[in-house]
Structure formats: structure tokens, C-alpha cells
Amino acid sequence: MTDMIRKNTFRTGFSVLLSLDLTKAFDSIYNLLLNDKLSTRYNFSASACKLVKSYLDNRSQFVQYNDFRSECLDVVCGVPQGSVLGPILFMLFINDFFECLDQNSCEIFMFADDIQILFFGQVHLLSETEALINDCLSKTESWMSENKLKINASKTKAMLFNSLGVTDLQLHLHLNNTQIEFVNKLKCLGVTIDNRLTFESHIHTLSSSINFTLKRLYSLNIQLPLNVRKTVANSLLVSRLLYGLEVYSGTIERHVAEIRRLFNRVVRFVYNIKLHESVSNSVIDFLNLSVENFIIFRLLLLFYKIFNQDSPKYLVDLFRFGRSTRSRQLVVPQINSSLFERSFQVRVIRCWNLLPNELKSFSSSTATFKRNLTECLNS
């Protein structure tokens, strides 16, 4: 999604991202309608539909507060949250949402009930773009209503991306007679995206979270063995830094430096290194690479997995090899802005094309590629 925004937001164009908020999405699934979709859309057999129906029927719920317990009431709709089957059934129910919108006028990104719709426009066609988005919003509301789902208009947000530095680009978007608020940042699947794609807010949140956890760990004042400190650091700290790293590391140097400092703080905790002492060698010992090379490693490893598995298709389609079978060079797309320069696609292509040819064979296992790539980056 961020790569599409980067690629299509240039001097004469802008992008608008709509983030839909569904009210109690999992609890609103109408069971009879779900069963009908399983049968007609996905060709579930009658016995399979009956099995799903029996799983969802005859459920009840009550509320307990201290010693008080309410009466049990039947649950007539919804799929169980916290289950493996619940999200799958929800996605089967909502997957035909794509069909209500013109795929040529927008891009839809869905992960369960997390739905983003992306529009592209030209500055000189601002009113036409506004009309198009409002039409899509109307169709979206109609589809949701027909499927017994409800959009929370007050929590649905929009974000405008443009590379012009123009602040007076205004669009008036409405949903259910409620004007949609334009914001400068919003959270998508745990990553905070801002309207300049600097990820400054996300990195700031990461910094606060990691500093808070480190402060708590130091306050315990317990002498833990090195292997335990490594385990604690990987589970409580590094896991947060790795989530979405391939996306949010595509930022300006000032914020990349902050990412580097966060890794350094984690390493200081693991190896008990004081503030005035150098941390460089310990970072390499902990990550097997410097922070800069570790980011390159993560980019190329993800790319290698994508191409080895030929999936997901929407990421595979970002890359195209040149005609020469000997060099295995990726074709560099036309770069129309500094925004696109920092995209996942362009960064991967640039890093891959600098690798020696012997590393560019997809015949190796992922483990072998990881080992060879680490050696290459260290040398």
C-alpha cells in the first residue's frame, strides 16, 4: 500500500487513503447470510454448510461483575473471536466487498475487518476525484447495509498525500451524511502511517515503548546470564523493532539514525555496556551485522522468500528481471520523486543489483541464502 502511494504521488498528482472503521464487525456477521455465501459463492457442500451452522448456532452469553451474573441470552449473529475459525469465516463473508467498487478507480487493501481504500487523483481534476470518492463511499455504505454490517462514520478517517507542499488541497467527503475527517496520521495493522510517509510518529512510539521496557528491566536490578538477557531482548524489544521494519525503514536519514539508536540501546542492555563505551562490535555480535546492513538483509531476505514462493502475487509483480540471464539484474523503474526513491520496491532493486551474481541464484535454500548474504554484507 505504501509503495503504491509513493509511486503515484508525484508533482501533479495526489493520493487519498480512506481507513474504514466497522462497528463490532466480528459480532455483526449474519449467520444465515454467511451460510448462503458459503453455499453459493464458495461451493461448500450441504454437509459442510451444516457443520459450520452447527458451530455457530446455539451459542449464549452472559455478563458477570463480581458476584452478580446476568441471565443467559442467545447469540443470534457473529463469529467467535479468539478462535482460529472466526477470522476465516469473517473473511469469507466480507471477501465479495471488492465487487461493489470499480477496481479501475481505486485500490482496496483488506486484512479481516481492517479495510483501506486508496484513490489517485490529479490536482487539476480535484472536483472529479472528490465526486468519485464520494460515489465509492455511497456504494460501500450500500454494500455494508445489504450485508448487515455498519460503518462507524465518525471513526472512519481519510489522509491526503501530495508531494507539492500544497496545503490548500481540500476534498469534502461524506459517509451517511457525516463529513469524514482528514488526519495527518493513522494506524494500519500496528504501523502508524503519516501523510509524508516519514514514519516519524511510528518510530517515536517505538522509542517510547522500548525506553519504557528498558527502564523497567533495569529497575529490576537482577544479574541475568547473557543468554537470558538475549532471550528477553529478542522477545520484548527486538520483536517490536522487526515488525514492519521493511516498510518504516524507508524514511529520511534522521529517522534511520533513530532506528539505529534504538537497536544500540537494546544491545547496551544485553551486553551491559555503559553509555560512553562503543557499541559497534556488540551490535554485530548480536545481529550478525551492523544496523544498516541488517536492514538491507531484511529487505533482501523478504524479496528472496517472495520470489522463491512466487507469492504473494501483488509483491511479486513489483519486480521484473532484465533480459540477461547471466547478471540476474532487476529492472529499475522510472523514479519520479524522492518519495518513491525510498519505497520498498526501489530499495530492494538497488540492493539486489549490487550483490555478486553467485548470490542471485534462487536454487539455494533460504537458510543457505541467509548465510551467504550475511557473509557478503559483512565483507
Side-chain angles (χ1 to χ4, degrees):
M1 184 179 75
T2 56
D3 267 35
M4 279 195 172
I5 295 169
R6 290 180 185 277
K7 188 172 184 177
N8 291 280
T9 305
F10 45 88
R11 286 194 61 79
T12 59
F14 61 90
S15 305
V16 176
L17 181 67
L18 279 177
S19 181
L20 303 184
D21 184 272
L22 300 183
T23 301
K24 295 188 175 181
F26 276 61
D27 295 332
S28 302
I29 297 298
Y30 189 50
N31 294 350
L32 289 176
L33 188 53
L34 170 63
N35 227 41
D36 182 58
K37 288 189 179 188
L38 294 179
S39 174
T40 57
R41 292 188 59 83
Y42 303 108
N43 295 321
F44 275 44
S45 65
S47 58
C49 289
K50 189 176 179 181
L51 180 66
V52 172
K53 186 175 183 298
S54 70
Y55 172 69
L56 297 175
D57 283 353
N58 300 317
R59 290 182 177 272
S60 59
Q61 64 181 17
F62 65 89
V63 176
Q64 183 165 336
Y65 178 72
N66 291 334
D67 295 330
F68 176 79
R69 176 170 167 170
S70 70
E71 295 180 21
C72 278
L73 291 175
D74 291 334
V75 177
V76 295
C77 61
V79 292
Q81 297 188 50
S83 64
V84 174
L85 194 56
I88 295 173
L89 291 173
F90 180 86
M91 286 186 282
L92 289 169
F93 183 85
I94 204 172
N95 207 41
D96 56 315
F97 168 66
F98 285 87
E99 297 173 8
C100 81
L101 300 180
D102 180 4
Q103 300 290 297
N104 295 317
S105 63
C106 63
E107 295 286 344
I108 305 170
F109 302 90
M110 290 171 55
F111 186 86
D113 61 335
D114 199 291
I115 304 172
Q116 275 79 34
I117 310 176
L118 183 61
F119 301 87
F120 307 114
Q122 300 291 315
V123 173
H124 65 281
L125 297 173
L126 191 65
S127 58
E128 288 86 344
T129 304
E130 180 182 287
L132 170 70
I133 299 174
N134 278 318
D135 180 59
C136 285
L137 281 168
S138 176
K139 290 176 179 175
T140 297
E141 171 59 28
S142 296
W143 187 92
M144 294 293 175
S145 179
E146 289 170 7
N147 286 271
K148 314 295 184 186
L149 297 173
K150 184 178 180 182
I151 303 178
N152 189 330
S154 62
K155 289 187 177 181
T156 292
K157 306 297 180 185
M159 193 153 59
L160 176 69
F161 302 86
N162 75 85
S163 59
L164 297 166
V166 177
T167 55
D168 60 349
L169 276 180
Q170 291 188 358
L171 294 103
H172 301 284
L173 308 180
H174 298 87
L175 182 66
N176 257 354
N177 298 319
T178 302
Q179 184 162 328
I180 293 176
E181 179 188 3
F182 274 82
V183 295
N184 293 327
K185 61 183 180 181
L186 56 84
K187 185 172 281 191
C188 175
L189 297 177
V191 176
T192 303
I193 300 172
D194 60 85
N195 62 347
R196 291 177 294 129
L197 289 181
T198 64
F199 296 99
E200 180 177 8
S201 181
H202 181 75
I203 294 168
H204 176 74
T205 303
L206 264 179
S207 180
S208 300
S209 171
I210 285 171
N211 287 338
F212 176 78
T213 304
L214 282 171
K215 188 176 180 181
R216 296 293 298 272
L217 289 170
Y218 280 123
S219 69
L220 294 174
N221 201 24
I222 301 172
Q223 295 299 317
L224 298 171
L226 177 62
N227 65 320
V228 175
R229 289 200 301 275
K230 283 184 176 180
T231 301
V232 169
N234 279 312
S235 59
L236 297 182
L237 302 166
V238 178
S239 58
R240 299 180 199 175
L241 286 165
L242 294 186
Y243 181 74
L245 179 65
E246 296 83 356
V247 174
Y248 77 79
S249 60
T251 183
I252 57 178
E253 177 53 39
R254 177 162 55 93
H255 299 316
V256 174
E258 179 59 26
I259 296 171
R260 191 186 309 119
R261 283 192 287 271
L262 290 175
F263 274 104
N264 288 348
R265 287 172 204 162
V266 173
V267 170
R268 287 186 188 281
F269 161 74
V270 171
Y271 294 94
N272 280 330
I273 300 171
K274 293 183 173 59
L275 278 175
H276 63 275
E277 296 175 354
S278 174
V279 76
S280 302
N281 291 334
S282 298
V283 168
I284 294 174
D285 184 66
F286 185 66
L287 297 176
N288 294 321
L289 294 160
S290 67
V291 174
E292 291 81 358
N293 282 339
F294 182 70
I295 292 172
I296 293 171
F297 173 85
R298 295 282 300 187
L299 289 169
L300 292 177
L301 179 60
L302 179 56
F303 167 72
Y304 193 82
K305 290 177 178 177
I306 289 166
F307 249 81
N308 248 353
Q309 300 166 4
D310 195 32
S311 176
K313 196 65 178 170
Y314 61 86
L315 289 183
V316 174
D317 291 343
L318 290 177
F319 306 100
R320 183 166 57 88
F321 282 99
R323 293 181 179 180
S324 173
T325 56
R326 293 180 61 189
S327 63
R328 297 292 287 170
Q329 294 287 91
L330 288 167
V331 176
V332 182
Q334 182 180 354
I335 298 169
N336 50 29
S337 68
S338 59
L339 202 63
F340 187 37
E341 182 89 39
R342 296 192 294 269
S343 67
F344 169 75
Q345 179 187 10
V346 173
R347 289 188 297 145
V348 165
I349 290 171
R350 291 253 164 91
C351 293
W352 177 267
N353 287 347
L354 289 172
L355 292 179
N357 287 336
E358 56 266 25
L359 254 71
K360 296 178 182 177
S361 168
F362 289 96
S363 59
S364 304
S365 67
T366 302
T368 301
F369 177 76
K370 286 170 68 174
R371 184 173 62 252
N372 292 339
L373 180 59
T374 303
E375 291 174 1
C376 175
L377 291 171
N378 275 324
S379 64

